[in-house]
Amino acid sequence: MKLARPVENESGIALYGAGMELTPAIIERLKAMGTEAVFIEGAIEYRFPKKADYLAVVETAFSKTGGKAINANLRKIMKAHVEAIYGSR
Amino acid sequence: MKTAAEIRDEIESLSAIPTLPTVLTDVLKLIDREDVSVNQIGDFISEDQALSARVLKMVNSPIYGFPGRISSINQALMLIGLGVLKGMLTGVAIFDVMQKTMVGLWEHSIGAAAAARIIAQKAGIKEVEEASVAGLIHDLGKVALGVCYPAEFGQCVERARAEQKYIFDLERDIMGVSHAEAGSWLARKWNFPRQLVEAVAYHHKPRLAKEAKKLAATVHLADALIKMTGFGFGGDPFVHPVDEEAWALLGLSDDDVKDILLELEDSISGTVLSF
């Protein structure tokens, strides 16, 4: 069982990197630090696309919904979401 | 072209998806028996290590909302109930045939399961596990059509790609039935809980649901959201117009949708281990 994402302290400094094997000793240390949960490598393999590719996926997804208000709003939220997640990475 | 009634007969005669392991067919029969206890069913599943490992892996993934907390099949049964377990077992067991039916369909299905769970939580639906399973099996009909009519279904997939159309419309044009109808016939024939049957039947037209409007609305929106992320592939990349009645029924705000998208990406991009 390996970490899928780094474990960081409150200052954002990575204590354990992605790919680190989660041994019982490390799990105990994480618990002692007050860590409630970590991301582990799972059965689902997903790589985030590049921002431009992700935005293209969104455009294609909404290319047949016409001017329906709910879909227009969802499209707006989704585009803002993509902008936000790439802004934070 | 065969009539819808003939297609329905052929789909309902699928006593099991051909590649389903015998143990699953046996478990599904056992669940339907009234003289068998929940513990006996749990013990029977636990005897098959491969199947129980798959179920525990699934139930402990963020898709079902109990990350890292369920260690035995009997514990899973207590938490999710037999009806939901039946849907989950089917979803888990059709993994292989889903992969063969359409590349990306399994990912689309587990993505929809995760989205449905998160939407259900935000919309205040108590049966979140039922929502997850409904999301997981909502495209069961694509598997049924792919197994019973590989040439015609293959034509739907190919034309959807070449003509940039919704696969739902092509199924109706080419075969006269949609995967939603096909899936509901199979789910009903296999004695799935009525709520799950309705969610499968009406995930494209949730306003037509009679007893499970909110569940159908949840899967309808989950299907749209997972397509928006581009995770997996359900036959076409296009979001369907979201039904206004379903949207109103769920009562979600813009902020709710933003939260759902964030949580959904966490769910599909990694598995959480809770201490």
Side-chain angles (χ1 to χ4, degrees):
Chain A
M1 191 160 56
K2 291 179 178 175
L3 280 175
R5 299 187 190 180
V7 176
E8 298 172 347
N9 66 12
E10 288 174 354
S11 312
I13 296 166
L15 302 176
Y16 297 102
M20 163 81 73
E21 185 71 36
L22 273 179
T23 62
I26 290 179
I27 290 174
E28 286 311 311
R29 246 175 277 161
L30 287 167
K31 281 186 194 172
M33 284 162 43
T35 308
E36 290 179 356
V38 293
F39 283 94
I40 56 166
E41 289 182 358
I44 309 164
E45 286 187 18
Y46 181 64
R47 297 282 175 270
F48 275 96
K50 290 178 183 168
K51 181 179 170 183
D53 293 339
Y54 205 160
L55 288 171
V57 164
V58 177
E59 285 307 314
T60 303
F62 285 98
S63 61
K64 289 187 174 293
T65 53
K68 286 227 171 196
I70 297 170
N71 285 87
N73 191 41
L74 282 176
R75 177 172 170 269
K76 197 173 105 188
I77 294 172
M78 187 63 193
K79 288 188 79 169
H81 168 76
V82 175
E83 293 289 347
I85 57 172
Y86 284 92
S88 67
R89 282 176 192 162
Chain B
M1 191 167 84
K2 291 189 176 179
T3 65
E6 286 168 335
I7 293 177
R8 180 174 183 159
D9 280 347
E10 289 193 24
I11 285 175
E12 286 185 344
S13 69
L14 274 178
S15 57
I17 297 288
T19 58
L20 286 192
T22 316
V23 63
L24 183 82
T25 315
D26 293 344
V27 173
L28 293 178
K29 281 182 192 159
L30 207 59
I31 290 175
D32 284 339
R33 276 175 51 184
E34 288 177 2
D35 60 331
V36 177
S37 73
V38 173
N39 278 346
Q40 282 173 296
I41 293 167
D43 291 344
F44 186 83
I45 298 169
S46 303
E47 280 172 21
D48 187 290
Q49 287 188 5
L51 185 61
S52 33
R54 265 178 150 174
V55 170
L56 287 176
K57 192 169 185 178
M58 178 65 82
V59 85
N60 279 311
S61 78
I63 291 160
Y64 285 100
F66 310 107
R69 289 200 281 127
I70 300 179
S71 54
S72 74
I73 292 292
N74 280 325
Q75 193 188 357
L77 273 174
M78 296 288 286
L79 282 165
I80 65 177
L82 278 179
V84 173
L85 177 87
K86 193 169 175 177
M88 185 188 291
L89 281 172
T90 307
V92 169
I94 59 176
F95 167 81
D96 294 330
V97 73
M98 265 197 175
Q99 300 274 56
K100 284 178 192 150
T101 303
M102 188 185 284
V103 175
L105 184 57
W106 171 249
E107 287 82 358
H108 172 72
S109 300
I110 52 172
R117 175 183 62 79
I118 301 163
I119 293 166
Q121 283 169 332
K122 281 281 178 198
I125 296 171
K126 286 181 187 164
E127 298 81 12
V128 289
E129 296 79 33
E130 190 173 57
S132 292
V133 168
L136 184 71
I137 63 167
H138 76 286
D139 275 345
L140 179 64
K142 286 177 186 160
V143 177
L145 291 175
V147 167
C148 287
Y149 305 101
E152 290 87 345
F153 189 69
Q155 206 184 332
C156 294
V157 174
E158 179 51 32
R159 281 185 56 188
R161 190 195 60 76
E163 298 169 23
Q164 296 286 285
K165 288 183 172 175
Y166 288 113
I167 193 162
F168 180 91
D169 294 340
L170 286 163
E171 289 163 355
R172 300 215 58 144
D173 288 351
I174 294 170
M175 291 185 277
V177 301
S178 72
H179 66 270
E181 292 164 289
S184 71
W185 295 334
L186 198 55
R188 192 175 290 117
K189 184 72 181 173
W190 288 359
N191 292 321
F192 275 38
R194 199 175 299 172
Q195 301 269 329
L196 283 181
V197 175
E198 281 212 356
V200 171
Y202 301 119
H203 71 272
H204 281 274
K205 295 174 183 170
R207 66 175 64 200
L208 297 181
K210 293 172 186 68
E211 295 175 29
K213 268 193 193 303
K214 215 165 177 181
L215 186 63
T218 300
V219 178
H220 175 70
L221 184 61
D223 195 15
L225 292 190
I226 202 63
K227 281 188 165 181
M228 282 160 54
T229 68
F231 183 71
F233 183 67
D236 66 62
F238 310 116
V239 169
H240 44 72
V242 173
D243 185 276
E244 288 172 14
E245 199 177 302
W247 177 257
L249 193 61
L250 293 170
L252 299 170
S253 66
D254 287 4
D255 283 342
D256 287 334
V257 176
K258 288 176 194 168
D259 290 346
I260 290 166
L261 288 170
L262 280 173
E263 201 176 324
L264 179 59
E265 282 188 350
D266 277 346
S267 287
I268 59 182
S269 60
T271 305
V272 175
L273 173 70
S274 296
F275 298 130

